[in-house]
Amino acid sequence: MTVDATFIALVAFLLFLGLMVYLKVPGMIATALDTKSQAIAKELHDARRLREEAEALLASYKAKQAAAESEAVAIVAHAKEQAAAVVEETRVQMAAAITRRERQAQDRIAQAEAKASADVRAAATEAAIAAAERMLREQLDADAQSALVSQGVSELKAKFG
């Protein structure tokens, strides 16, 4: 057998493998791999548990969101109902106020008409009395004027007094 480079490489390789087995390197590698495998399995388990918790929390928040949305819809509907009621109440109050003001204006107009009518009657009466008095003074003598004026005044007092 000849000793060449291939033979030396084979012997070195076998010595290296023997040294590795002697130092229990394959066991250490297996232990390290097992430890790493267990750590990864634990991380996967934790990740799965966290995912389940997150899904449960998400479902809870979705349920709360749906409840909040339905509550918001109910609040908006209630607010619309209240606004409609306020609008109707305001409309009724405004109609009553307009009717009341119209009535007050009509009462004031009626009072003003009555006062104006009374003022016109009084002025017409005074003018008629003055004209009658002037006409009687011009056409009658002093004694007859006195008697007629007294009679007219007493008649007017009887009519308007």
Side-chain angles (χ1 to χ4, degrees):
M1 182 158 199
T2 57
V3 178
D4 60 353
T6 308
F7 180 73
I8 292 176
L10 177 66
V11 170
F13 180 70
L14 290 176
L15 282 174
F16 175 73
L17 287 179
L19 182 63
M20 290 291 189
V21 170
Y22 177 74
L23 295 176
K24 298 181 184 175
V25 170
M28 289 191 284
I29 290 174
T31 304
L33 288 175
D34 287 343
T35 304
K36 189 70 169 172
S37 172
Q38 289 174 354
I40 291 171
K42 184 178 183 283
E43 286 178 9
L44 284 174
H45 176 72
D46 289 346
R48 198 172 297 121
R49 184 181 48 81
L50 288 174
R51 181 172 183 246
E52 289 170 358
E53 288 176 7
E55 286 174 350
L57 190 60
L58 177 64
S60 169
Y61 280 125
K62 283 185 179 180
K64 286 179 183 178
Q65 180 184 10
E69 285 176 2
S70 66
E71 185 178 348
V73 166
I75 289 171
V76 168
H78 182 69
K80 284 181 181 179
E81 289 173 5
Q82 285 182 337
V86 167
V87 165
E88 182 62 25
E89 182 180 336
T90 302
R91 188 184 62 74
V92 168
Q93 289 176 353
M94 289 299 290
I98 289 171
T99 303
R100 185 174 53 251
R101 295 222 178 164
E102 285 177 355
R103 205 173 320 118
Q104 288 173 350
Q106 288 172 350
D107 290 347
R108 286 186 196 141
I109 290 170
Q111 288 174 354
E113 285 176 351
K115 186 177 184 300
S117 179
D119 288 348
V120 167
R121 270 192 237 125
T125 304
E126 287 176 14
I129 291 172
E133 186 179 337
R134 196 173 344 116
M135 188 173 76
L136 288 174
R137 279 189 192 162
E138 291 172 359
Q139 294 176 357
L140 298 176
D141 64 354
D143 291 334
Q145 281 181 356
S146 260
L148 283 176
V149 168
S150 296
Q151 181 185 358
V153 169
S154 64
E155 285 178 8
L156 286 175
K157 283 184 182 178
K159 257 187 185 179
F160 295 109

